[in-house]
Amino acid sequence: MSINTDISKLDDLIVTTIDSIRGYEHSADHADAGRYAHFFRSMAGERRNVVARLQSASRTLGGTPAEYGSTAAALHRRWEDLRRVLGGGDEALVKEIERGEDYLVEEFERALGDDNISSPTRALIEECFESVRHGHDRASALKHQFEATH
């Protein structure tokens, strides 16, 4: 177990979680008539809390955590815009949010599967993962609710 491994895992999760924040903010700004905007903004707030905790831990270990998301996520948001413009509307936003949540869960599971992270870092990631799992479940329920009414 090394500090560098802990920092690396934390920083990977930070970037991916920032992507999640940006996705929720983007969706809030583009939701039809603001119908789901409150949900999207609330989820972005929850993700900001996760990022703050992960960044603090990285700094404590001597890291310099990212303040930005990935280029791939920015491209994904442009793809989301195109689908929305082509008639996907809120349904497209909700489906993309849920897909992004699936990816975020996988990233946290991958980090927790690394036997080389320290116990304190693992404990923090597990705590943050609870929030991520809760958000995933909320997004999934919204998607299923949306599908049932349309």
Side-chain angles (χ1 to χ4, degrees), residues 34-56:
R35 186 174 174 190
Y36 298 106
H38 176 72
F39 170 75
F40 295 144
R41 284 192 178 90
S42 170
M43 292 301 298
E46 287 183 27
R47 293 295 183 264
R48 277 189 211 83
N49 291 335
V50 168
V51 166
R53 293 185 70 197
L54 296 171
Q55 286 173 328
S56 176

Side-chain angles (χ1 to χ4, degrees), residues 31-138:
D32 294 340
R35 186 174 174 190
Y36 298 106
H38 176 72
F39 170 75
F40 295 144
R41 284 192 178 90
S42 170
M43 292 301 298
E46 287 183 27
R47 293 295 183 264
R48 277 189 211 83
N49 291 335
V50 168
V51 166
R53 293 185 70 197
L54 296 171
Q55 286 173 328
S56 176
S58 177
R59 279 188 204 96
T60 298
L61 294 172
T64 307
E67 298 287 335
Y68 55 87
S70 69
T71 302
L75 293 172
H76 178 79
R77 285 189 296 278
R78 298 299 75 80
W79 173 246
E80 184 180 301
D81 284 343
L82 179 61
R83 287 172 50 157
R84 187 179 48 77
V85 167
L86 294 174
D90 284 344
E91 182 176 7
L93 290 175
V94 170
K95 284 183 178 179
E96 289 306 311
I97 283 291
E98 206 251 347
R99 196 165 71 123
E101 285 295 302
D102 288 344
Y103 181 74
L104 187 59
V105 164
E106 289 172 14
E107 288 299 304
F108 270 82
E109 288 173 342
R110 192 174 354 268
L112 289 169
D114 188 332
D115 293 334
N116 295 316
I117 58 174
S118 69
S119 295
T121 296
R122 179 177 305 283
L124 172 65
I125 293 171
E126 286 172 348
E127 289 172 19
C128 290
F129 189 35
E130 285 302 312
S131 173
V132 167
R133 250 196 307 250
H134 176 71
H136 174 272
D137 293 348
R138 288 178 62 199

